[in-house]
DNA sequence: ATCATTTTTTAACTTAAGTGAACGGTTTTA
DNA sequence: TAAAACCGTTCACTTAAGTTAAAAAATGAT
């Protein structure tokens, strides 16, 4: 499990044994049961996550309805926006599967970064990469119809469609569950011809 | 003009005179005429921008149609995704007004960051903030209808609606120009009652 | 295994966005 | 300055998503 984290870090910087031990001493690894809520609306938090196994989601509750906007699976990093802005969260974060993840808080990161400037660099590169990816995802979302978005997701993250509930997937695609269901039937019809 | 840049930087780190001079010696400031294309599809680039005055936009050309996905105005920072991923650009960047901006390339940034570790920290914080903001914007986009998006924009960036062409605004809102026109008429009707 | 609950699908109807075309009004440019 | 190109709006029509409700299927608990 630790190797997964170190392999991930190795994509950005190379670590000495001393540095690896410093990380391990932080006791970052946690096992979390399906359904656990990591963050609630209104709460303040300093926690960031790295998913080793499983899946977590971000969702809002608007007019009593859950609106899922993001999923994080194996090898995904999540620093919730409210941690950056230091404001109360407007959304929930929960585990939709039994999940193994690392939990680090921003105080820890400040300390590690000042002790090992390498980490500062890794964090910068990682944030830049995630920003670039988010921008591209957003662009694709704007430039395509619900049906195209679904087909696109089928290409890029086929696992999600299996492991995630339809109504969560629907709001992730910016539509209602009934529309997703209909849209899938439409696609099947087309392929039959 | 330089003070605008230094005021912006001051939000993140404090600079000595020596550091300010190091920045000024880089010759970052540029004036660009309306209509200038800063980046074309297919090009590779290392340039990042900070807008001091004016407005630039990102757009794709899909099936011969321009699809505008982002606007950057006063005090906005833009590092195009293709600069981060070091891949050819899939989009264009152009000035829709006479614009004053700083242009810095990633080689310069690597050098400055290694000479002044402070800058590394600023870049990290800035990237994290922009990522958090982008995530929230994306969430709001998914959770709202075209009409709500338009009204939301009217609140948050009323200037954009004045200075940007309707068909560019439409694709920014994820709809067709005719739909934006109709939607505005609908809103006016409602307010008349 | 059965029942209760939740999730997904289907259907009928409403609403709004997409499409293609036409109309003035502006700006560009030859 | 006249012609061409472009832009925003409007209209009629098509297509697809939203809404409400109900049925069917899957899941979970006892």
């Amino acid at each position: 499990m630790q190797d997964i984290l170190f392999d991930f870090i190795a994509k950005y910087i190379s670590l000495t044994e001393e540095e690896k031990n410093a990380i391990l001493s932080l006791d970052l690894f946690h096992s979390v049961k399906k359904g656990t809520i990591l963050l609630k609306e209104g709460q303040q938090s300093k926690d960031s996550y790295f998913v080793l196994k499983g899946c977590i989601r971000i969702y809002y509750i608007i007019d009593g309805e859950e609106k899922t906007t993001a999923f994080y699976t194996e090898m995904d990093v999540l620093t919730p926006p409210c941690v950056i802005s230091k404001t109360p969260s407007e959304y929930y974060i929960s585990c939709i599967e039994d999940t193994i993840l690392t939990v680090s808080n921003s105080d820890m990161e400040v300390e590690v970064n000042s002790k090992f400037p390498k980490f500062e660099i890794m964090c910068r590169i990682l944030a830049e990469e995630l920003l670039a990816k988010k921008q591209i995802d957003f662009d694709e979302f704007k430039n395509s119809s619900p049906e195209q978005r679904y087909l696109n997701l089928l290409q890029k993250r086929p696992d999600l469609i299996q492991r995630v509930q339809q109504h969560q997937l629907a709001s992730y695609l910016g539509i209602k569950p009934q529309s997703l269901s209909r849209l899938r039937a439409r696609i099947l019809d087309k392929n039959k011809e």
Side-chain angles (χ1 to χ4, degrees), chain A:
Chain A
M1 213 74 288
Q2 301 166 355
D3 288 340
I4 298 178
L5 176 61
F6 288 135
D7 287 350
F8 179 80
I9 293 174
K11 289 193 290 186
Y12 300 94
I13 55 177
S14 54
L15 294 181
T16 64
E17 282 306 311
E18 186 204 351
E19 289 158 347
K20 286 190 184 184
N21 287 330
I23 291 173
L24 292 178
S25 73
L26 293 172
D27 189 34
L28 299 173
F29 297 86
H30 294 269
S31 261
V32 189
K33 277 260 163 292
K34 175 176 174 172
T36 306
I37 294 183
L38 299 171
L39 177 69
K40 289 185 182 173
E41 185 184 352
Q43 284 185 339
Q44 291 217 230
S45 166
K46 297 188 166 187
D47 291 346
S48 292
Y49 310 99
F50 173 70
V51 180
L52 295 139
K53 181 141 191 31
C55 182
I56 62 181
R57 67 186 252 261
I58 291 187
Y59 63 99
Y60 295 71
I61 296 186
I62 296 173
D63 300 331
E65 291 228 321
E66 286 188 9
K67 304 279 186 176
T68 300
T69 57
F71 298 101
Y72 297 85
T73 56
E74 287 77 13
M75 301 286 276
D76 282 340
V77 171
L78 167 58
T79 300
C82 68
V83 173
I84 302 299
S85 62
K86 291 167 184 155
T87 56
S89 172
E90 293 171 27
Y91 42 82
Y92 297 77
I93 301 178
S94 81
C95 301
I96 61 175
E97 299 173 359
D98 290 348
T99 300
I100 302 169
L101 38 69
T102 71
V103 182
S104 60
N105 74 55
S106 37
D107 298 332
M108 270 164 51
E109 276 165 28
V110 168
E111 202 182 311
V112 172
N113 285 353
S114 65
K115 202 178 289 176
F116 305 107
K118 258 189 235 180
F119 277 93
E120 185 71 44
I121 294 176
M122 178 178 75
C123 290
R124 188 208 83 220
I125 296 174
L126 186 58
E128 286 176 350
E129 282 184 6
L130 294 173
L131 172 60
K133 196 164 167 299
K134 187 73 69 184
Q135 172 73 49
I136 294 294
D137 284 350
F138 198 174
D139 289 355
E140 284 180 357
F141 193 93
K142 280 184 182 171
N143 289 337
S144 56
S145 66
E147 184 170 327
Q148 289 171 317
R149 279 175 222 152
Y150 175 77
L151 292 170
N152 190 242
L153 191 68
L154 210 54
Q155 293 287 324
K156 293 205 176 164
R157 298 182 72 179
D159 60 303
L160 266 195
I161 289 162
Q162 301 307 319
R163 65 208 287 197
V164 160
Q165 290 188 356
Q166 296 297 310
H167 67 275
Q168 294 170 0
L169 210 54
S171 55
Y172 181 70
L173 294 171
I175 57 176
K176 293 282 174 309
Q178 297 90 323
S179 298
L180 176 56
S181 188
R182 174 169 46 194
L183 173 163
R184 300 178 75 194
R186 201 165 59 216
I187 291 170
L188 280 176
D189 267 12
K190 282 185 198 164
N191 290 342
K192 247 182 229 161
E193 284 165 20

